[in-house]
Amino acid sequence: MSHRMRVAAATLSAGLVLAATGIGTAAQAAAPAVAPQKTAAAPCWASGGKWWCDNKRGAAVWAADSVTVVGYMNSNPSWFDCRLEADPTGGGGPHPNRWLLTTADNGKRGWMKDSDVYSETNTVPAC
């Protein structure tokens, strides 16, 4: 083990002991917790007059009523025409009211929930 690694391990051990025993400095107690960094999703991209996005295989494609499934998307990536902010998708994610217009693998037109798309969909034009 290198000297630097031994010093880091000793520092970490000392900090854990101080925290476990309630002994520590005011600065240690007041130090904010550091949240883990999340990587941003790669954006959808334009090619051949369509917008391509990485998506969940087998995702449902819904009719405009957002109740009826018209087909499924087993391809990945898939193409989309545009995006629409509408009724909540129930899927959460960064855009819980966003739907993307596409054509399901069976040829029927419909809407995919943004939560079924892994790519960032802000680059897809609004309908």
Side-chain angles (χ1 to χ4, degrees):
M1 181 183 280
S2 73
H3 174 70
R4 185 174 282 179
M5 290 175 67
R6 281 193 298 271
V7 169
T11 302
L12 177 61
S13 296
L16 293 175
V17 169
L18 290 174
T21 60
I23 302 170
T25 66
Q28 288 171 325
V34 178
Q37 297 239 335
K38 293 182 181 180
T39 56
C44 298
W45 62 97
S47 179
K50 302 287 184 193
W51 285 88
W52 294 84
C53 306
D54 292 317
N55 58 277
K56 183 192 313 180
R57 288 184 188 268
V61 177
W62 301 81
D65 64 10
S66 70
V67 175
T68 308
V69 174
V70 297
Y72 296 91
M73 192 71 77
N74 294 307
S75 58
N76 179 35
S78 300
W79 61 263
F80 300 90
D81 291 312
C82 58
R83 63 181 163 86
L84 178 70
E85 305 298 325
D87 293 336
T89 64
H95 311 292
N97 297 344
R98 184 171 291 173
W99 297 82
L100 296 132
L101 182 61
T102 190
T103 300
D105 288 344
N106 64 1
K108 299 212 175 170
R109 299 283 289 160
W111 301 88
M112 185 183 289
K113 295 177 180 183
D114 184 81
S115 57
D116 287 335
V117 178
Y118 301 131
S119 299
E120 172 51 62
T121 57
N122 282 338
T123 54
V124 177
C127 294

